[in-house]
Amino acid sequence: MMPPAETRGLVGVLFDLDDTVLSHGVLTREAYEAIWSMHEAGLRLVAVTGRPSGWGEVIARQWPIDGAVTENGAVHVVRDGKGVTLTFDGDAEAVAHRRARLDALVVTVAKALPHVKLADDNHARRSDVAWDIGERERLDASSIAELAQLVVASGARTTRSSVHLHASFERDDKASGAIRFVHARFGDDSGAALHRWAFVGDSGNDAACFAAFTHTFGVENVRAYARVLTVPPRWVAPSKRGAGFAEIAKTIVSSRW
Ligand SMILES: [Mg+2]
């Protein structure tokens, strides 16, 4: 996949969850072992996901990782003794104001597109809203386009994963959120973050990270998103999802010895 020398100097790996580590939502044995193998090789590990901060709270407590950048960059979760600490961008007033704008947008969408359903993980979200476009529902392309138009008209930013369409009034995307995280947690400046941390992902909402980081990997299913990625990952694993993630982990770990 790549010459070992390329990744020898890495200090950490940032990775997406859905359809990268998780295979259709499931954490396979080989993917979980891949996370442990990178942890045991001394790499810092951070999940970077569109999933809720409530999910980040769980994995930051349970997995051998240094934290989670959740909700597409906005909310950061780190283990703190026996608990976790959540960090937001801005003060409580700013966070509450953005939340109120999101709540209003949810009402607008429900009125205009009553057949479009919210994702089933919104109760665990703090800074964004997600609608289900391909997880438990199969939303048609024109409805997805109408939904995206409503979100943009409200002044929110929209991102799309393989399963959800998100709306957010946050400033961060996955890349700026990940860089903010490694600076706050490890003191790495953005130059160090971009060159000494690898990123592994699979889809359109990973575009900012594929463009920003030097060492970028895609699992095989990223090929389906070639059209929407302005900068594709530098290296693509032979296999899809968790199996591909395990191949990438093996490549990174073996370069360290
Ligand atoms: Mg994904």
Side-chain angles (χ1 to χ4, degrees):
M1 199 183 331
M2 67 185 299
E6 283 272 359
T7 54
R8 195 164 288 151
L10 291 178
V11 297
V13 178
L14 306 154
F15 54 83
D16 170 57
L17 292 179
D18 279 280
D19 293 321
T20 298
V21 170
L22 305 175
S23 300
H24 304 292
V26 172
L27 180 61
T28 60
R29 179 178 304 183
E30 66 183 335
Y32 198 42
E33 279 177 3
I35 293 171
W36 273 102
S37 73
M38 291 195 289
H39 170 70
E40 286 169 353
L43 289 157
R44 292 165 176 167
L45 302 174
V46 179
V48 183
T49 179
R51 287 291 182 176
S53 49
W55 287 35
E57 290 182 63
V58 175
I59 66 172
R61 283 168 190 255
Q62 297 178 345
W63 293 13
I65 59 176
D66 295 281
V69 173
T70 65
E71 300 177 15
N72 285 313
V75 186
H76 301 176
V77 189
V78 292
R79 194 182 295 118
D80 178 10
K82 288 183 177 169
V84 287
T85 297
L86 278 75
T87 309
F88 298 83
D89 182 22
D91 59 23
E93 194 183 339
V95 170
H97 177 65
R98 295 195 294 256
R99 183 71 243 176
R101 292 179 74 190
L102 277 180
D103 292 342
L105 175 58
V106 169
V107 172
T108 302
V109 169
K111 279 187 188 150
L113 302 168
H115 63 291
V116 175
K117 296 203 168 61
L118 285 165
D120 68 2
D121 63 5
N122 280 284
H123 63 282
R125 296 183 177 279
R126 291 174 169 92
S127 75
D128 73 342
V129 168
W131 289 272
D132 191 343
I133 61 169
E135 189 168 48
R136 303 176 71 171
E137 304 290 326
R138 282 273 166 267
L139 197 59
D140 62 279
S142 71
S143 294
I144 295 172
E146 283 181 76
L147 173 59
Q149 267 174 8
L150 276 178
V151 171
V152 170
S154 77
R157 226 157 32 85
T158 180
T159 41
R160 187 176 161 178
S161 72
S162 51
V163 292
H164 293 159
L165 189 136
H166 302 256
S168 167
F169 292 98
E170 304 294 319
R171 283 181 291 195
D172 279 317
D173 57 22
K174 276 190 167 188
S176 64
I179 291 164
R180 191 160 64 82
F181 181 99
V182 300
H183 178 68
R185 179 76 178 77
F186 301 111
D188 295 353
D189 64 25
S190 61
L194 293 172
H195 296 293
R196 303 195 65 201
W197 286 75
F199 177 79
V200 189
D202 81 294
S203 81
N205 71 337
D206 299 319
C209 289
F210 289 139
F213 289 89
T214 303
H215 303 289
T216 56
F217 296 84
V219 287
E220 196 277 345
N221 38 302
V222 75
R223 295 190 190 282
Y225 291 86
R227 258 183 328 112
V228 299
L229 295 172
T230 46
V231 180
R234 272 179 85 187
W235 297 285
V236 177
S239 301
K240 295 183 198 299
R241 303 186 173 83
F245 180 74
E247 290 162 352
I248 292 162
K250 194 174 274 182
T251 301
I252 291 173
V253 168
S254 65
S255 75
R256 299 174 71 75
W257 307 105

